[in-house]
Amino acid sequence: MNLEYVKRWGWTANPFTLIINPKLFTGYESQVHAVLEHINNKHKIALITGSTGAGKTTFLKWLDENLRDYSTIYVSKPPQTPEEFINIFTDIFGLTFWEKLFRKKLSLYTLPKYIEKKSKHHLVFLVDEAHETNKDVLEWLRVLTDQIKGISLVIAGLPVLEAKIKGDLETLNQRITTRIELNSLTKDEMRDLIKKRIESISGTEIEPFTNSAIDKIYHRTGGFPREVLKLCDRLVNTAVEKHLDKISAVDIEDHREVPRSNVRLDQPVVTFSPKPPSDQQLINLPYKQKRILETLNKDDWLTPTAIADILGIKSYKSRSHAIRSINNILHRLMMEGYVQRESRGKAYLYALTPKVKTLFVEK
Ligand SMILES: Nc1ncnc2c1ncn2[C@@H]1O[C@H](COP(=O)(O)OP(=O)(O)O)[C@@H](O)[C@H]1O
Ligand SMILES: [Mg+2]
């Protein structure tokens, strides 16, 4: 970390990196409204398009975190094979002994019935980077949403995705009832993006930027989120080099930013955020389950192994027994809406759902 930031403005980090934090999401009001309407009306397929850096991923993750009346699944990119596709759901909902026995039989054709049986609440399936996939996969997604009663699908991708669907996938095209485009923020929304970021690292409002600087940043970037962040990043670094405490319009040169290509993760990330339980249900939980929740209240995003190590394994036959048992309990807690899960490849990380987190704070 750059100590100059701290000295100059009291910051604890650089606020203008391209990290994705749904808590910093702002603006795009009409688009947010359209997607919420779509989901609340239990509509089937919504399509979000926008160029790289417009905010698609942040928007989907914001939905994943804020749709508290629904269970949501977020996948950072579409599955590529039928097996991967099926695994997303069996990894979340699990298989009973009998289902394991007949595992071979779970196919793209039986998957809808399986999901319908397992999913207790209306499910919102959020699929990111959908332009990266082929016709077949998009068609599976369409069939899945057609056949499951309680599911809404929100797919996001680059603008080429819409052209691809229009050209090749007429049925899917007809099923899309909500289409939104993320383009750029208004000047006020852009100011809020900057302010939220600065305040999130203990800074004050839009300091060091003056209002004239905000006008100029807007003029230069058109309010396109990624360009705003890149420009702000350069401006604060230059200010540090030149020992400036303030950044005003005269400090901002006139040339335009050159867009940069997208950075991608190799491992798909799948997040499942279940619909949370009622307050009464929480009070009635058994002791072991409560201890796990308390552990997760102290520390977010832990693996079952980390939890076993924190809680100790005294009451179990061995460490691996403890881990397996905790794993089972976590799965149950997830299905009942106490904890959410994120998987990266083979690793699972657990955290309290936002509502349960609030209940703990209130206690
Ligand atoms: N509406 C927004 N509010 C706050 N930050 C945003 C918004 N849109 C985008 N950003 C930020 O801009 C950067 C690029 O956004 P991202 O979601 O990765 O775009 P995309 O997925 O469309 O390529 C991220 O750091 C993100 O947090
Ligand atoms: Mg993205």
Side-chain angles (χ1 to χ4, degrees):
M1 196 197 44
N2 191 334
L3 283 177
E4 280 296 319
Y5 293 149
V6 187
K7 223 169 63 192
R8 234 163 253 284
W9 306 303
W11 295 358
T12 56
N14 177 359
F16 300 118
T17 59
L18 289 174
I19 51 147
I20 306 226
N21 180 351
K23 295 206 170 51
L24 302 177
F25 183 76
T26 184
Y28 285 140
E29 261 175 51
S30 63
Q31 290 94 329
V32 169
H33 181 77
V35 172
L36 292 181
E37 282 278 293
H38 178 93
I39 293 166
N40 289 332
N41 289 313
K42 314 262 156 73
H43 285 320
K44 288 293 191 177
I45 307 182
L47 176 67
I48 300 176
T49 52
S51 357
T52 302
K56 300 180 296 298
T57 300
T58 312
F59 188 14
L60 290 187
K61 299 218 118 197
W62 182 86
L63 288 168
D64 192 31
E65 224 173 71
N66 289 282
L67 289 172
R68 300 225 183 148
D69 291 329
Y70 307 91
S71 290
T72 55
I73 297 177
Y74 166 82
V75 290
S76 60
K77 53 186 176 187
Q80 301 296 342
T81 63
E83 197 190 12
E84 247 182 73
F85 198 87
I86 292 165
N87 282 346
I88 290 178
F89 299 97
T90 52
D91 283 353
I92 289 168
F93 296 122
L95 293 164
T96 62
F97 173 76
W98 290 106
E99 284 163 345
K100 273 186 196 144
L101 207 60
F102 293 108
R103 181 62 214 282
K104 273 189 242 109
K105 293 222 176 104
L106 202 53
S107 69
L108 288 175
Y109 301 100
T110 50
L111 185 64
K113 260 222 168 66
Y114 165 83
I115 296 174
E116 208 156 55
K117 196 171 85 193
K118 297 276 179 172
S119 167
K120 287 194 212 127
H121 307 285
H122 191 83
L123 189 62
V124 182
F125 192 29
L126 307 160
V127 180
D128 207 353
E129 309 272 4
H131 56 272
E132 287 213 352
T133 193
N134 55 43
K135 251 170 85 170
D136 290 346
V137 178
L138 291 170
E139 189 59 13
W140 302 339
L141 282 168
R142 198 269 300 163
V143 172
L144 194 81
T145 16
D146 266 355
Q147 298 193 349
I148 299 173
K149 235 184 284 140
I151 197 168
S152 297
L153 172 68
V154 181
I155 43 183
L158 294 176
V160 293
L161 175 65
E162 182 156 35
K164 191 163 158 178
I165 292 173
K166 279 199 173 125
D168 289 350
L169 291 154
E170 190 41 38
T171 323
L172 172 58
N173 193 36
Q174 285 170 10
R175 295 287 193 283
I176 300 172
T177 48
T178 303
R179 285 167 205 267
I180 66 163
E181 196 196 335
L182 300 184
N183 27 45
S184 50
L185 302 175
T186 64
K187 200 201 286 176
D188 284 343
E189 291 170 345
M190 183 202 79
R191 186 181 201 277
D192 194 52
L193 178 152
I194 294 173
K195 178 167 166 276
K196 277 211 169 85
R197 295 229 162 202
I198 290 177
E199 289 177 342
S200 77
I201 44 94
S202 311
T204 316
E205 261 245 314
I206 56 166
E207 192 195 36
F209 297 108
T210 62
N211 284 322
S212 74
I214 295 286
D215 290 348
K216 188 107 177 231
I217 294 169
Y218 186 68
H219 180 73
R220 284 272 310 271
T221 61
F224 190 79
R226 188 189 50 166
E227 300 306 315
V228 173
L229 293 174
K230 276 167 53 190
L231 179 56
C232 289
D233 180 58
R234 269 203 321 155
L235 292 173
V236 296
N237 284 317
T238 310
V240 166
E241 275 165 29
K242 293 189 181 163
H243 308 286
L244 299 174
D245 286 332
K246 259 188 180 358
I247 300 170
S248 48
V250 291
D251 301 312
I252 306 173
E253 344 72 75
D254 279 317
H255 77 83
R256 287 188 79 87
E257 299 288 306
V258 186
R260 203 181 41 175
S261 77
N262 203 3
V263 185
R264 273 186 277 119
L265 283 165
D266 287 343
Q267 288 279 16
V269 179
V270 179
T271 343
F272 178 58
S273 311
K275 180 179 175 180
S278 68
D279 301 7
Q280 194 53 39
Q281 283 170 308
L282 181 67
I283 295 164
N284 293 334
L285 270 188
Y287 175 70
K288 258 191 191 160
Q289 313 204 356
K290 273 195 185 142
R291 289 223 30 216
I292 292 181
L293 294 183
E294 277 160 14
T295 309
L296 287 172
N297 183 43
K298 290 198 197 102
D299 228 337
D300 267 346
W301 301 113
L302 296 175
T303 60
T305 311
I307 295 173
D309 290 342
I310 292 169
L311 290 178
I313 57 168
K314 269 195 228 106
S315 54
Y316 299 94
K317 253 196 279 178
S318 69
R319 186 160 176 264
S320 64
H321 279 93
I323 294 168
R324 197 169 332 137
S325 157
I326 286 170
N327 204 22
N328 289 339
I329 296 176
L330 282 167
H331 189 258
R332 203 171 322 139
L333 287 171
M334 175 174 87
M335 296 318 296
E336 285 163 12
Y338 294 94
V339 301
Q340 51 185 331
R341 184 174 87 181
E342 191 165 305
S343 65
R344 292 157 187 278
K346 289 247 175 297
Y348 291 133
L349 300 171
Y350 290 88
L352 298 183
T353 52
K355 176 171 172 195
V356 170
K357 188 116 208 165
T358 350
L359 289 177
F360 265 96
V361 174
E362 283 162 8
K363 267 206 315 195

